[in-house]
Amino acid sequence: MYIIFFMIAVSVSVAALFLGAFLWAVRSGQYDDDYTPAVRMLFDNETVADNKGKGQTDAQPRA
């Protein structure tokens, strides 16, 4: 019977830890911009395509 109370206490502690981590992430701005990271990879290719027309090749590093 003791193990049930021990496991409940451990579960509540772990849940409180995750809730605290979630609240810290929300307050620090981790979820403020959820659109830009999803489309950032799409805009990276357009920058390379624009440089091709100016005489640069793909082998040149971008500044």
Side-chain angles (χ1 to χ4, degrees), residues 41-63:
M41 66 179 180
L42 299 175
F43 295 128
D44 284 344
N45 290 338
E46 292 179 7
T47 303
V48 173
D50 291 339
N51 290 339
K52 267 187 173 178
K54 296 176 183 175
Q56 295 180 348
T57 62
D58 289 339
Q60 295 177 342
R62 289 186 282 166

Side-chain angles (χ1 to χ4, degrees), residues 3-56:
I3 193 69
I4 292 174
F5 294 121
F6 177 73
M7 293 303 292
I8 290 172
V10 168
S11 299
V12 170
S13 298
V14 170
L17 180 73
F18 279 107
L19 180 64
F22 174 72
L23 291 175
W24 172 79
V26 168
R27 288 183 182 168
S28 67
Q30 294 289 321
Y31 299 106
D32 284 349
D33 185 15
D34 58 348
Y35 179 71
T36 303
V39 298
R40 184 178 302 150
M41 66 179 180
L42 299 175
F43 295 128
D44 284 344
N45 290 338
E46 292 179 7
T47 303
V48 173
D50 291 339
N51 290 339
K52 267 187 173 178
K54 296 176 183 175
Q56 295 180 348

